Amino acid sequence: MTNEQLGALLGAFADYYWSVPVEYVADKVFAWHPEVTKQQFKGVLKKANEILGWHHFCVVTDGLEAPEITADHLVSVDPGDFDRFLAARIEGPYCDCDEETLLRMKEGLYGFDIPEVNAMKDFGQNELGLDEEWGVQLLDDCQLCQTDALCKGSSWVQEVLKMESFGKIHFQTVDQVKRFRDLGNKLYQAIPNPLLKGWRPADLENPPLPLDDIPEKDEDIPDSRPIMEEFRKTLGFLKSPEERWTKDPAIQKPKRKVGRNDPCPCGSGKKYKKCCGSHP
């Protein structure tokens, strides 16, 4: 296993669990890949941020003041959300995940051939007119907003509507939102969740359920498209991440760290991790 492959695997652990002890990760890696030495593991771990960047994971330091998260953990949660994440996460053991599932989850939900994912795909294509790229985004938004809603005590549906994939996906009627909510609630039960330490809600007796309130009238559905369109015009949106960073002098890489699930500063409408964050 190369250092790059090992780094990608460590990043997959962080993306799957959002917070996982390095010792737990090491036991799994050495069992799956006996050829990996402790020296290689420690070397890749030490250079993790340099190799993969913030959008995948980082090794947390004690300075972040999260009592259960130390330098011995891999994490994929923005620092400002640590306390809320820890307060919402369940007690108990981590779910034993096989390597194949771990790596598939790292690439998102679109590749999962299960009824709940396929139903949401069909909804995105037939109801919202989404191509595959934005169907992926819709599934990612569901999982992210359901987890965030559990942390915040808010409605996951309202969180998605506020985000609406940053102006690219738009719901037009309350009936449409209701169908989306029903499909999303079934999807939540079938997908591993980081707040449940990698377990699916369907695996647990009494899993926490995110709120799912929706707007009462069509006119109450937010529309972020005009704002994002103006944002793109302001930034002089180009085609590729490389062009946006290197060929447009008006656009510079952000000096502050951008959260992996934040809107990409380039204005593409995608999350940072799916756009310019994938080109460190």
Side-chain angles (χ1 to χ4, degrees), residues 252-266:
Q252 300 294 327
K253 279 197 174 184
K255 294 182 180 179
R256 69 176 182 85
K257 284 185 176 178
V258 181
R260 59 192 290 279
N261 291 309
D262 289 346
C264 189
C266 75

Side-chain angles (χ1 to χ4, degrees), residues 71-100:
D72 297 323
H73 282 68
L74 298 183
V75 300
S76 186
V77 186
D78 293 339
D81 294 330
F82 273 128
D83 290 341
R84 193 160 52 193
F85 172 77
L86 291 175
R89 190 174 62 176
I90 65 170
E91 299 292 335
Y94 290 87
C95 175
D96 256 345
C97 176
D98 61 83
E99 185 176 7
E100 180 183 356

Side-chain angles (χ1 to χ4, degrees), residues 114-256:
I114 60 174
E116 294 81 3
V117 168
N118 292 332
M120 187 61 81
K121 284 184 187 178
D122 291 341
F123 175 85
Q125 292 170 355
N126 300 327
E127 294 270 353
L128 301 178
L130 303 181
D131 59 17
E132 180 174 327
E133 179 182 6
W134 290 102
V136 170
Q137 192 72 43
L138 181 64
L139 282 163
D140 284 352
D141 288 351
C142 283
Q143 185 186 35
L144 172 65
C145 290
Q146 286 168 343
T147 303
D148 281 352
L150 284 171
C151 291
K152 298 175 183 177
S154 58
S155 164
W156 76 266
V157 185
Q158 297 281 13
E159 294 289 337
V160 172
L161 294 178
K162 290 176 189 175
M163 182 184 293
E164 287 192 325
S165 285
F166 315 119
K168 284 288 188 177
I169 299 172
H170 181 59
F171 296 84
Q172 298 180 348
T173 68
V174 170
D175 284 342
Q176 201 175 49
V177 175
K178 286 179 180 177
R179 291 193 291 276
F180 170 71
R181 176 194 61 190
D182 294 343
L183 291 172
N185 284 337
K186 292 178 181 178
L187 182 68
Y188 170 75
Q189 291 287 340
I191 297 298
N193 191 288
L195 283 176
L196 308 181
K197 292 189 171 179
W199 296 98
R200 301 180 311 153
D203 295 328
L204 306 177
E205 287 189 10
N206 294 298
L209 301 175
L211 300 175
D212 60 2
D213 302 341
I214 64 174
E216 295 183 358
K217 299 178 291 184
D218 293 351
E219 52 266 34
D220 293 334
I221 299 173
D223 186 355
S224 60
R225 291 175 297 176
I227 298 174
M228 287 307 302
E229 184 60 32
E230 186 62 31
F231 185 45
R232 291 188 190 94
K233 289 179 181 178
T234 301
L235 288 178
F237 179 59
L238 297 171
K239 290 185 178 180
S240 72
E242 290 85 355
E243 287 177 317
R244 290 195 286 275
W245 293 136
T246 62
K247 294 188 179 180
D248 191 334
I251 303 175
Q252 300 294 327
K253 279 197 174 184
K255 294 182 180 179
R256 69 176 182 85

